[in-house]
């Protein structure tokens, strides 16, 4: 018989941490904690396969489920010595979702299930304070009605407010048991009125209502959005965890809290968490009351007046610290924990690998290696290469003046600035608008409904909530700067104002937030790029030891080349020479060259460009000091350079001493309908060899000068773009070699250089064997190769390509991640055929894919020698290349074992 339900508790479990796919993260970890003997309230998990069955069968359950759930309940009853629905000693349970990937707050939870008019009395009898029972019942009716019966939350909040007003009090805790019992009556009447049925009294009916609601919540809009943003497949489904309730709200010796075993923002190795006395778990996350630090050290540091858990409940704290450490050692990673203390006894409700900022991830991985917990290879595998981007985020310039208008919690590091918006809708509108504004989303507190606004905002600022509030957790996950709980700010959403210390800010005013310091600053404050030393350098060093592929940068300006060196580039894989032509001083000469109608005219313009090019190349060679530098000959779609307005035409006409009208008609002649497939690449050198000759001369003369200046021989690679086969490549190569000979003769030296080509056209990939007879290296230009293989214009793809991705006709944008089956196949063919003729041919990639981790994995598989990407992605590529090497080694080992 299929097993749909697995139990845990009392020192053992039917599941384990390995069964995450089946039990979801929460269920698997509850089972694991029970197995290693930690105090976990007993319960059972209904598997994710039930969810799959539920949606595949018109929202119905497998036949055996009912009996298995009943058996699960009997297990809880046996361990707790309570009865579900028992009028003397009732068992209450929580019902929670838990999918394979953590989706914090996206799905539904119900607490205190099993309460009805009878069991509430039993609960009251057994409690120190009868209030507790009626308060629990009130909360249960509200939660259940909202989640299962789909009644509005506000309905109950209004009744609660009215009750408080009547009594003349402001806090829930000031209501006595009679007030609460009355409130329960009012709630039940409201339910009956609005749903047409009395509130269910039968615990079994309550339980099945809750189970169905949790499964249904897998398809709620916020869960769907979250899955889309985090690439979580719909087919995974959620599990449902039913667990005996323990109460953090049983009075002053009870508490509930959340903690991380290390600081999730900085990675610092110190227990880090918050708790509330006499509260239920949801209160901590919701940010309704301000929680207190767990440790005494954190309390003192934060100058918090209320006591820490460490002093308030020393026994429970001591046990918790031991459990936290044990779990970290067990899972070999930083843990995110939820716990409850019920009348002094500690209960663990959740353990999972904690979400963290990139900065913390890095520090934790490096520390765990130094602590002997992880190997360097494991540390490399732990870090998501794309997340390194967060570390490259700007911070506030220490020299800049900070006009601090408010302080809050440093919830997610990095600085951001932008215009104030007060809603997620406004955030989306401003960012999507023509001007593409940057915005700071300012909210009292965010909720899961806000993720779309948080996603587009540059930073997030809230006035309530702690370090584990929704805003803080989600912002850290997204790598966005966030300041939470800036309590001195007053938001008036209707008026669209933010007031602090008498000063009023309006939507559209600019703020800067410092998510590392927890500060809110007036205006746009100067920011600086981060420093990449310490843990970053350590991890990068380990990655460099491991990786097989080299990492180069695409760079042409000296600033880019220096940045690339700073990020650890091992050379330049692509220098797009046309990018050097847009300078004010040069553009007129470039236009002259293009518009000249004879060789003489072109040579005249080229002579003006030669010294510029020579000094550009010399600077690049000097910065790269002996590292390989690949310089590509001119490859612009010509239209990029044509003069547009009359003023531009006049300037060129004057420089050439030509008639502006004649020039205008020459420009019109050069107009192309499809420039990307037009007069570009080596076609320019074929039509006008003198252009290639000038560039080759500039390259070689610069190489001689740079070698003299630095004392390092220059390794230069001259690259011919957009060839279709060997013949056009050879034509251009002959010109380059001739210039090299000439320069050698003039300088009486020997040049060390290679001539190779880009493989950017399907035909070139197919003709790779022939091309390799004379080409000394290939660099795959996968931007053009994608464009030409798919027949999708790089410049015009946006309006229709997204439809392909949205409708799942393509798995992702092929300009971002290489299309393995199609473009990848062409690359593989190019490599294979190239090597068949020239076994040691140097192979690289310089399309945008060279900085994309998934594409880098592909490059490792086909055995490229290097990847080349934009300077800021060099660190990402270094790490991704190391991970790719490790993966390849593992695959080899598995192969050998088989
Ligand atoms: C390419 O086509 O992949 C390439 C690197 O060249 P460009 O982007 O300059 O066309
Ligand atoms: Mg190209």
């Amino acid at each position: 018989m299929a097993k749909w339900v697995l139990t845990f508790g009392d020192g053992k479990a039917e599941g384990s941490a390995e069964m995450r796919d089946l039990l979801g993260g929460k269920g698997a970890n509850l089972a694991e904690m029970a197995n290693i003997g930690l105090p976990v309230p007993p319960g059972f998990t209904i598997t994710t396969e039930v969810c799959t069955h539920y949606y595949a069968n018109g929202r119905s359950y497998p036949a055996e489920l009912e009996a298995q759930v009943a058996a699960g309940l009997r297990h809880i009853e046996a361990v707790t010595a309570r009865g579900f629905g028992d009028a003397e000693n009732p068992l209450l349970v929580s019902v929670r979702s838990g999918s394979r990937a953590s989706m914090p707050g996206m799905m539904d939870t119900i607490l205190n299930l099993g309460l009805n008019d009878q069991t509430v009395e039993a609960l009251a009898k057994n409690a120190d304070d009868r209030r507790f029972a009626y308060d629990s019942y009130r909360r249960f009716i509200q939660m259940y009605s909202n989640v299962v019966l789909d009644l509005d939350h506000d309905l109950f909040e209004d009744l609660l407010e009215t009750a408080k007003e009547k009594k003349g009090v402001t806090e829930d805790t000031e209501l006595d048991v009679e007030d609460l019992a009355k409130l329960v009556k009012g709630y039940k009447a409201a339910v009956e009125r609005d749903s047409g049925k009395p509130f269910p009294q039968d615990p079994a009916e309550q339980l099945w209502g809750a189970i169905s609601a949790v499964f249904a919540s897998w398809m709620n809009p916020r869960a769907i959005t979250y899955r889309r943003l985090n690439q979580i497949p719909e087919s995974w489904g959620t599990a449902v965890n039913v667990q005996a309730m323990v109460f953090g709200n049983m009075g002053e010796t009870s508490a509930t809290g959340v903690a991380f075993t290390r600081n999730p923002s900085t990675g610092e190795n110190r227990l880090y968490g918050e708790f509330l006395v006499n509260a239920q778990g949801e209160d901590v996350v919701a940010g309704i009351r301000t929680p207190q630090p767990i440790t005494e050290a954190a309390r003192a540091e934060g100058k918090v007046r209320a006591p820490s858990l460490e002093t308030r409940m020393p026994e429970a704290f001591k046990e918790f610290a031991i459990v936290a450490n044990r779990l970290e050692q067990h899972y070999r990673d930083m843990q995110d924990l939820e716990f409850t203390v019920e009348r002094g006894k500690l209960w663990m409700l959740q353990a999972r690998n904690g979400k963290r900022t990139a900065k913390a991830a890095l520090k934790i991985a490096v520390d765990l290696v130094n602590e002997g917990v992880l190997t360097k290879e494991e540390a490399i595998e732990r870090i998501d290469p794309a997340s390194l981007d967060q570390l490259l985020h700007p911070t506030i310039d220490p020299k800049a003046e900070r006009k601090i208008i408010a302080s809050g919690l440093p919830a997610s590091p990095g600085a951001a600035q932008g215009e104030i918006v007060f809603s997620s809708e406004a955030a989306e509108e401003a960012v999507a608008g023509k001007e593409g504004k940057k915005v700071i989303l300012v909210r009292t507190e965010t909720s899961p409904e806000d993720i779309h606004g948080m996603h587009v905002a540059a930073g997030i600022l809230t006035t309530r909530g702690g370090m584990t509030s929704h805003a803080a957790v989600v912002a850290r996950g997204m790598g966005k700067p966030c300041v939470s709980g800036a309590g001195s700010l007053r938001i008036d959403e209707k008026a669209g104002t933010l007031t602090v210390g008498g000063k009023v800010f309006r939507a559209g005013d600019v703020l800067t937030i410092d998510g590392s310091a927890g500060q809110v600053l007036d205006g746009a404050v100067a920011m600086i790029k981060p420093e990449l030393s310490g843990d970053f350098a350590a991890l990068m060093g380990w990655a460099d030891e491991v990786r097989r592929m080299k990492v180069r940068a695409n760079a042409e300006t000296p600033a880019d080349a220096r940045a690339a060196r700073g990020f650890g580039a091992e050379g330049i894989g692509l220098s797009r020479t046309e990018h050097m032509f847009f300078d004010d001083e040069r553009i007129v000469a470039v236009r002259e060259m293009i518009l000249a109608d004879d060789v003489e005219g072109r040579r005249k313009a080229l002579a003006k460009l030669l010294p510029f090019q020579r000094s550009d190349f010399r600077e690049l060679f000097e910065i790269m000091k002996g590292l390989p530098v690949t310089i590509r000959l001119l490859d612009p779609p010509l239209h990029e350079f044509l003069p547009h307005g009359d003023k531009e035409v006049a300037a060129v006409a004057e420089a050439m001493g030509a008639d502006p009208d004649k020039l205008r008609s020459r420009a019109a002649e050069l107009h192309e309908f499809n420039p990307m497939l037009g007069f570009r690449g080596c076609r320019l050198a074929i039509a006008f060899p003198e252009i290639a000759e000038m560039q080759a001369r500039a390259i070689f003369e610069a190489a001689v000068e740079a070698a003299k200046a630095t004392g390092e021989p220059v390794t230069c690679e001259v690259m011919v773009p957009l060839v279709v086969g060997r013949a056009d490549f050879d034509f251009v190569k002959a010109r380059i070699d001739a210039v090299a000979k000439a320069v050698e003769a003039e300088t009486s030296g020997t040049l060390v250089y290679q001539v190779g080509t880009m493989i950017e056209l399907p035909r070139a990939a197919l003709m790779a064997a022939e091309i390799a007879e004379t080409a000394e290296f290939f660099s795959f230009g996968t931007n053009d190769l994608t464009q030409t293989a798919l027949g999708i214009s790089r410049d015009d793809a946006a309006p229709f390509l997204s439809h392909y991705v949205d409708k799942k006709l393509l798995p992702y944008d092929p300009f971002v991640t290489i299309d393995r089956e199609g473009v990848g196949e062409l690359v593989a063919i190019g490599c294979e055929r190239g090597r068949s003729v020239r076994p040691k041919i140097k192979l690289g990639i310089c399309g945008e894919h060279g900085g994309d981790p998934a594409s880098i994995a592909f490059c490792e598989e086909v055995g490229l020698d290097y990847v080349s990407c934009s300077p800021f992605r060099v660190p990402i590529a270094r790490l991704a290349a190391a991970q790719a090497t490790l993966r390849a080694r593992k695959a080899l080992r598995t192969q050998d074992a088989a």
Side-chain angles (χ1 to χ4, degrees):
M1 196 170 70
K3 202 161 170 54
W4 305 104
V5 170
L6 281 80
T7 61
F8 57 84
D10 204 20
K12 54 186 185 295
E14 293 178 310
S16 71
E18 271 75 59
M19 295 163 74
R20 198 182 173 91
D21 295 358
L22 186 66
L23 300 179
K26 188 189 280 273
N29 288 329
L30 283 169
E32 188 78 7
M33 284 199 286
N35 278 330
I36 62 174
L38 298 183
V40 175
F44 60 85
T45 304
I46 305 174
T47 69
T48 55
E49 285 174 355
V50 175
C51 189
T52 315
H53 181 288
Y54 179 78
Y55 283 107
N57 294 277
R59 303 200 172 206
S60 70
Y61 296 115
E64 307 89 347
L65 187 66
E66 200 174 326
Q68 294 190 13
V69 165
L73 270 176
R74 282 197 298 279
H75 157 79
I76 309 179
E77 289 177 327
V79 177
T80 56
R82 293 173 191 277
F84 194 49
D86 191 293
E88 296 298 319
N89 193 15
L91 166 69
L92 304 187
V93 296
S94 64
V95 180
R96 295 170 200 263
S97 61
S99 74
R100 211 191 287 191
S102 133
M103 294 170 58
M106 293 301 132
M107 287 178 291
D108 292 325
T109 289
I110 293 173
L111 304 177
N112 306 332
L113 190 139
L115 277 173
N116 58 23
D117 295 349
Q118 273 196 322
T119 53
V120 70
E121 254 313 299
L123 190 69
K125 235 186 278 161
N126 299 337
D128 303 339
D129 177 358
R130 292 176 54 82
R131 274 192 82 259
F132 154 72
Y134 281 88
D135 191 45
S136 300
Y137 194 18
R138 170 189 79 76
R139 288 171 188 251
F140 169 54
I141 296 172
Q142 174 165 353
M143 228 180 219
Y144 191 91
S145 302
N146 181 236
V147 171
V148 183
L149 308 176
D150 209 21
L151 298 184
D152 200 5
H153 198 72
D154 292 342
L155 175 69
F156 302 99
E157 287 297 315
D158 289 348
L159 289 171
L160 177 64
E161 285 311 311
T162 315
K164 285 194 283 189
E165 263 167 37
K166 253 198 201 147
K167 182 146 186 136
V169 299
T170 54
E171 297 294 324
D172 304 4
T173 45
E174 293 172 282
L175 296 175
D176 63 27
V177 66
E178 280 75 31
D179 303 325
L180 290 168
K182 249 189 243 153
L183 203 51
V184 162
K185 262 203 192 122
Y187 278 17
K188 285 197 308 184
V191 171
E192 188 157 359
R193 188 190 64 222
D194 286 16
S195 73
K197 270 189 264 170
F199 185 78
Q201 292 289 309
D202 174 12
E205 185 190 341
Q206 293 174 357
L207 180 62
W208 283 100
I211 291 170
S212 295
V214 173
F215 281 134
S217 69
W218 179 246
M219 288 296 183
N220 75 29
R222 53 177 207 259
I224 291 172
T225 306
Y226 188 91
R227 283 201 294 274
R228 183 170 47 78
L229 293 177
N230 293 279
Q231 277 117 35
I232 298 170
E234 193 177 294
S235 61
W236 283 4
T238 183
V240 177
N241 297 290
V242 178
Q243 195 176 16
M245 281 297 301
V246 287
F247 295 97
N249 56 341
M250 269 199 151
E252 296 302 302
T253 56
S254 300
T256 186
V258 292
F260 293 91
T261 53
R262 298 178 191 228
N263 185 319
S265 202
T266 64
E268 189 193 8
N269 184 5
R270 222 163 69 168
L271 194 57
Y272 186 87
E274 294 165 331
F275 79 108
L276 282 170
V277 172
N278 197 9
Q280 275 197 330
E282 271 37 43
D283 301 341
V284 182
V285 186
I288 296 163
R289 280 162 64 190
T290 301
Q292 298 143 232
I294 286 193
T295 62
E296 192 43 29
R299 187 206 61 76
E301 219 163 80
K303 301 198 178 72
V304 177
R305 244 181 280 135
S308 64
L309 185 73
E310 194 170 356
T311 50
R312 178 85 193 240
M313 299 177 187
E315 288 307 315
F317 172 80
K318 221 183 274 160
E319 190 186 352
F320 178 70
I322 291 167
V323 167
N325 187 41
R326 171 107 191 269
L327 281 167
E328 196 183 86
Q329 296 291 323
H330 183 75
Y331 286 111
R332 305 168 71 232
D333 199 359
M334 186 265 265
Q335 295 297 298
D336 171 354
L337 307 171
E338 285 178 22
F339 65 94
T340 282
V341 179
E342 184 187 279
R343 291 171 162 168
K345 161 132 185 69
L346 174 74
W347 291 101
M348 296 305 298
L349 299 185
Q350 171 151 301
R352 59 181 171 200
N353 291 342
K355 286 197 192 283
R356 61 204 79 178
T357 61
K359 185 176 169 190
L362 197 65
K363 175 159 173 59
I364 291 168
V366 171
D367 284 353
L368 287 175
V369 170
N370 294 334
E371 289 161 27
V373 178
L374 293 185
T375 64
K376 289 178 187 173
E377 284 78 10
E378 286 171 321
I380 289 169
E381 285 167 335
R382 283 269 172 100
I383 308 291
D384 169 12
S387 77
L388 293 180
D389 205 29
Q390 289 179 35
L391 300 177
L392 315 172
H393 273 324
T395 46
I396 290 181
D397 185 342
K399 291 194 284 290
E401 200 204 334
R402 289 177 182 238
K403 272 198 236 146
I404 300 174
I405 56 167
S407 288
L409 298 170
S412 183
Q417 52 200 211
E419 295 186 12
I420 296 173
V421 290
F422 291 104
S423 72
S424 289
E425 290 65 40
E428 275 193 319
E429 216 175 282
V431 173
K434 256 221 186 87
E435 295 167 69
K437 287 177 181 161
K438 285 196 165 179
V439 299
I440 304 288
L441 179 60
V442 183
R443 307 280 290 155
T444 308
E445 168 59 76
T446 61
S447 76
E449 263 94 35
D450 283 313
I451 40 174
H452 62 111
M454 299 174 76
H455 189 67
V456 297
I460 293 133
L461 168 62
T462 70
T463 57
R464 262 221 299 247
M467 289 292 281
T468 44
S469 66
H470 181 266
V473 171
V474 175
R476 280 199 296 273
M478 289 179 172
K480 298 222 162 167
C482 173
V483 174
S484 69
S488 62
L489 298 173
R490 288 279 158 269
I491 297 177
D492 184 339
E493 207 179 315
K494 281 208 190 91
T497 57
L498 178 72
T499 313
V500 60
K503 181 159 180 179
V504 181
F505 294 84
R506 293 179 194 286
D509 289 347
V510 174
L511 286 185
T512 300
I513 59 168
D514 183 348
S516 313
Q519 292 172 350
V520 186
L521 312 167
D522 194 350
V525 184
M527 308 215 265
I528 51 163
K529 305 224 172 83
E531 219 192 300
L532 303 174
S533 53
D535 298 325
F536 185 89
L539 187 89
M540 283 293 140
W542 299 337
D544 292 347
E545 282 166 26
V546 162
R547 74 185 150 86
R548 183 192 59 80
M549 285 188 293
K550 297 254 183 231
V551 176
R552 299 194 194 179
N554 295 351
E556 41 276 328
T557 67
D560 281 353
R562 278 193 202 96
R565 284 294 290 135
F567 287 130
E570 295 160 301
I572 289 179
L574 172 64
S575 178
R576 293 175 163 105
T577 47
E578 58 272 14
H579 286 189
M580 301 157 155
F581 282 174
F582 283 99
D583 225 77
D584 270 353
E585 283 183 288
R586 310 178 186 188
I587 188 71
V588 174
V590 174
R591 289 183 174 139
E592 241 182 282
M593 166 185 85
I594 290 171
L595 294 172
D597 48 15
D598 57 12
V599 184
E600 275 325 297
R602 256 189 310 278
R603 282 198 195 281
K604 227 175 89 196
L606 286 166
K608 293 184 199 166
L609 288 170
L610 176 73
F612 287 124
Q613 289 258 279
R614 188 172 49 221
S615 72
D616 288 339
F617 296 146
R618 178 177 165 171
E619 208 168 345
L620 285 188
F621 291 141
E622 290 185 8
I623 294 166
M624 285 293 145
K625 277 211 193 87
L627 294 172
V629 177
T630 309
I631 294 174
R632 178 176 75 185
L633 299 186
L634 206 56
D635 171 35
L638 273 189
H639 72 288
E640 287 180 15
F641 292 121
L642 292 178
H644 299 293
D646 287 342
K647 223 170 107 197
E648 289 179 344
V649 173
V652 183
E654 194 191 322
M656 292 171 80
D659 172 26
D661 285 335
K662 227 181 100 199
L663 266 192
R664 213 168 283 127
S665 68
R666 171 86 179 125
E669 268 168 48
L670 286 171
H671 171 82
E672 291 177 311
F673 288 105
N674 202 341
M676 270 294 184
L677 297 177
F679 198 0
R680 59 172 290 214
C682 68
R683 295 157 200 175
L684 284 165
I686 288 164
F688 308 131
E690 53 279 8
I691 298 179
E693 284 164 3
M694 179 282 283
Q695 289 202 295
R697 177 166 283 279
I699 293 168
F700 294 131
E701 289 180 356
V704 171
E705 287 178 9
K708 247 189 223 146
T710 61
E712 295 268 359
V714 168
T715 315
C716 78
E717 300 167 347
V718 186
M719 183 151 79
V720 184
L722 219 75
V723 302
V724 296
R726 179 177 156 176
D728 51 350
F729 173 72
D730 281 353
F731 180 92
V732 183
K733 181 174 190 295
R735 301 298 184 285
I736 297 166
D737 287 336
V739 173
K741 272 222 170 64
V743 173
E744 281 179 332
E746 288 157 25
T747 58
S748 358
T750 6
L751 288 164
V752 184
Y753 72 99
Q754 291 186 334
V755 184
T757 185
M758 296 189 72
I759 302 289
E760 295 175 283
L761 299 173
R763 189 178 193 278
L766 299 173
M767 303 302 291
E770 272 200 354
I771 299 172
E773 285 165 10
T774 45
E776 290 167 287
F777 65 87
F778 288 167
S779 179
F780 290 91
T782 44
N783 301 334
D784 275 310
L785 196 56
T786 301
Q787 166 169 261
T788 50
L790 280 85
I792 293 181
S793 160
R794 287 163 69 171
D795 296 337
D796 306 310
F800 56 87
L801 195 52
S802 58
H803 289 286
Y804 268 80
V805 179
D806 290 347
K807 296 185 174 133
K808 305 201 166 86
L809 307 177
L810 284 172
Y812 38 71
D813 181 339
F815 289 104
V816 174
T817 294
I818 195 162
D819 155 45
R820 277 179 176 250
E821 289 79 24
V823 177
E825 184 68 9
L826 286 169
V827 172
I829 288 171
C831 291
E832 197 189 303
R833 295 190 183 170
R835 282 198 192 105
S836 71
V837 168
R838 192 185 287 268
K840 294 232 161 102
I841 188 166
K842 200 186 312 177
L843 300 172
I845 183 172
C846 62
E848 280 305 296
H849 305 91
D852 169 65
S855 310
I856 291 170
F858 168 81
C859 295
E860 173 68 40
E861 286 165 34
V862 291
L864 295 192
D865 297 297
Y866 69 87
V867 298
S868 189
C869 57
S870 61
F872 265 84
R873 287 164 91 189
V874 165
I876 295 170
R878 285 161 72 194
L879 183 58
Q883 291 181 346
T885 303
L886 291 174
R887 226 172 288 132
R889 278 191 205 155
K890 262 191 204 146
L892 262 185
R893 276 201 297 271
T894 344
Q895 234 173 41
D896 285 352

